Coordinates of all heavy atoms in Angstrom, one line a residue:
A1408 N -16.0 6.7 -10.6 CA -16.1 6.0 -9.3 C -14.8 5.2 -9.0 O -14.3 5.2 -7.9 CB -17.3 4.9 -9.4
V1409 N -14.2 4.6 -10.0 CA -13.0 3.9 -9.9 C -11.9 4.9 -9.5 O -11.0 4.6 -8.7 CB -12.6 3.1 -11.1 CG1 -11.2 2.5 -11.0 CG2 -13.6 2.0 -11.5
G1410 N -11.9 6.1 -10.1 CA -10.9 7.0 -9.9 C -10.9 7.5 -8.4 O -9.9 7.6 -7.7
L1411 N -12.1 7.8 -7.9 CA -12.3 8.2 -6.5 C -11.9 7.0 -5.5 O -11.1 7.3 -4.6 CB -13.7 8.7 -6.2 CG -14.1 10.0 -6.9 CD1 -15.6 10.2 -6.7 CD2 -13.4 11.2 -6.3
Y1412 N -12.4 5.9 -5.7 CA -12.2 4.8 -4.9 C -10.7 4.4 -5.0 O -10.0 4.1 -3.9 CB -13.0 3.6 -5.2 CG -12.9 2.4 -4.4 CD1 -13.6 2.2 -3.2 CD2 -11.9 1.4 -4.6 CE1 -13.5 1.1 -2.4 CE2 -11.7 0.3 -3.8 CZ -12.5 0.2 -2.7 OH -12.4 -1.0 -1.9
G1413 N -10.2 4.4 -6.2 CA -8.8 4.0 -6.4 C -7.8 4.9 -5.7 O -6.8 4.4 -5.2
R1414 N -8.0 6.2 -5.7 CA -7.1 7.1 -5.0 C -7.2 6.9 -3.5 O -6.1 7.0 -2.8 CB -7.4 8.6 -5.4 CG -7.0 9.0 -6.8 CD -5.8 8.4 -7.4 NE -6.2 7.2 -8.2 CZ -5.6 6.1 -8.4 NH1 -4.5 5.9 -7.8 NH2 -6.1 5.2 -9.1
A1415 N -8.4 6.8 -3.0 CA -8.5 6.5 -1.5 C -7.8 5.2 -1.2 O -7.1 5.1 -0.2 CB -10.0 6.5 -1.2
Y1416 N -8.0 4.2 -2.0 CA -7.4 2.9 -1.7 C -5.9 3.0 -1.8 O -5.2 2.4 -1.1 CB -8.0 1.9 -2.7 CG -7.5 0.4 -2.5 CD1 -8.3 -0.4 -1.7 CD2 -6.4 -0.1 -3.1 CE1 -8.0 -1.7 -1.5 CE2 -6.0 -1.4 -2.8 CZ -6.8 -2.2 -2.1 OH -6.4 -3.5 -1.8
Q1417 N -5.4 3.7 -2.8 CA -3.9 3.9 -3.0 C -3.3 4.6 -1.8 O -2.3 4.1 -1.3 CB -3.6 4.7 -4.2 CG -2.1 4.9 -4.5 CD -1.9 5.7 -5.7 OE1 -2.8 6.3 -6.3 NE2 -0.6 5.7 -6.2
L1418 N -4.0 5.6 -1.3 CA -3.4 6.3 -0.1 C -3.5 5.4 1.1 O -2.6 5.4 2.0 CB -4.3 7.6 0.2 CG -4.0 8.8 -0.7 CD1 -5.0 9.9 -0.4 CD2 -2.6 9.3 -0.5
I1419 N -4.5 4.6 1.2 CA -4.6 3.6 2.3 C -3.5 2.6 2.3 O -2.9 2.2 3.3 CB -6.0 2.9 2.3 CG1 -7.2 3.9 2.8 CG2 -6.0 1.6 3.1 CD1 -7.1 4.2 4.2
N1420 N -3.2 2.2 1.1 CA -2.2 1.1 1.0 C -0.8 1.5 0.9 O 0.2 0.7 1.0 CB -2.5 0.2 -0.3 CG -3.6 -0.8 0.0 OD1 -3.3 -1.9 0.4 ND2 -4.8 -0.4 -0.3
M1421 N -0.5 2.8 0.8 CA 0.9 3.3 0.8 C 1.7 3.0 2.0 O 2.8 2.4 1.9 CB 0.9 4.8 0.5 CG 0.9 5.2 -1.0 SD 1.1 7.0 -1.2 CE 1.0 7.1 -2.9
P1422 N 1.1 3.3 3.2 CA 1.8 2.9 4.4 C 2.1 1.4 4.6 O 3.1 0.9 4.9 CB 1.0 3.4 5.6 CG 0.1 4.4 5.0 CD -0.1 4.0 3.5
T1423 N 1.0 0.6 4.2 CA 1.0 -0.8 4.3 C 2.1 -1.4 3.4 O 2.9 -2.2 3.7 CB -0.3 -1.4 4.0 OG1 -1.3 -1.0 5.0 CG2 -0.2 -3.0 4.1
D1424 N 2.0 -0.9 2.1 CA 3.0 -1.4 1.1 C 4.4 -1.1 1.5 O 5.3 -1.9 1.3 CB 2.6 -0.9 -0.2 CG 1.3 -1.4 -0.8 OD1 0.9 -2.4 -0.3 OD2 0.8 -0.8 -1.8
N1425 N 4.7 0.2 1.9 CA 6.0 0.6 2.2 C 6.6 -0.2 3.4 O 7.7 -0.6 3.4 CB 6.1 2.1 2.4 CG 6.2 2.9 1.1 OD1 7.2 3.1 0.6 ND2 5.0 3.1 0.5
L1426 N 5.7 -0.3 4.5 CA 6.2 -1.0 5.6 C 6.5 -2.5 5.3 O 7.5 -3.1 5.8 CB 5.2 -0.8 6.8 CG 5.3 0.5 7.6 CD1 4.1 0.5 8.6 CD2 6.6 0.6 8.3
N1427 N 5.6 -3.1 4.6 CA 5.7 -4.5 4.4 C 6.9 -4.7 3.5 O 7.6 -5.7 3.6 CB 4.4 -5.0 3.7 CG 4.3 -6.5 3.8 OD1 4.4 -7.1 4.8 ND2 4.1 -7.2 2.6
S1428 N 7.2 -3.8 2.5 CA 8.4 -4.0 1.7 C 9.6 -3.7 2.4 O 10.6 -4.5 2.3 CB 8.3 -2.9 0.5 OG 9.4 -3.0 -0.3
A1429 N 9.6 -2.7 3.3 CA 10.8 -2.3 4.1 C 11.2 -3.4 5.0 O 12.3 -3.9 5.1 CB 10.6 -1.0 4.8
V1430 N 10.2 -3.9 5.9 CA 10.5 -4.8 6.9 C 10.4 -6.3 6.4 O 11.2 -7.1 6.7 CB 9.5 -4.6 8.1 CG1 9.8 -5.6 9.2 CG2 9.6 -3.2 8.6
G1431 N 9.4 -6.5 5.5 CA 9.1 -7.8 5.0 C 10.2 -8.4 4.2 O 10.5 -9.7 4.4
E1432 N 10.9 -7.7 3.4 CA 11.9 -8.2 2.5 C 13.0 -8.7 3.3 O 13.6 -9.7 3.1 CB 12.3 -7.2 1.5 CG 13.2 -7.7 0.4 CD 13.5 -6.6 -0.7 OE1 12.6 -6.4 -1.5 OE2 14.6 -6.0 -0.7
V1433 N 13.4 -7.8 4.3 CA 14.5 -8.2 5.2 C 14.1 -9.4 6.1 O 14.9 -10.3 6.3 CB 14.9 -7.0 6.1 CG1 16.0 -7.4 7.1 CG2 15.4 -5.8 5.2
A1434 N 12.9 -9.3 6.6 CA 12.4 -10.4 7.6 C 12.4 -11.7 6.8 O 12.8 -12.8 7.4 CB 11.0 -10.0 8.1
F1435 N 11.9 -11.8 5.6 CA 11.8 -13.1 4.9 C 13.1 -13.6 4.7 O 13.3 -14.9 4.9 CB 11.0 -12.8 3.6 CG 11.0 -14.0 2.7 CD1 10.5 -15.2 3.2 CD2 11.4 -14.0 1.4 CE1 10.5 -16.4 2.4 CE2 11.4 -15.1 0.6 CZ 10.9 -16.3 1.1

């Protein structure tokens, strides 16, 4: 269950993490 949920969650968070890292680090 953790494996299935975790991969879906990881895919969901990839765009968020990358955008927040790319723009957020510079913005801060």
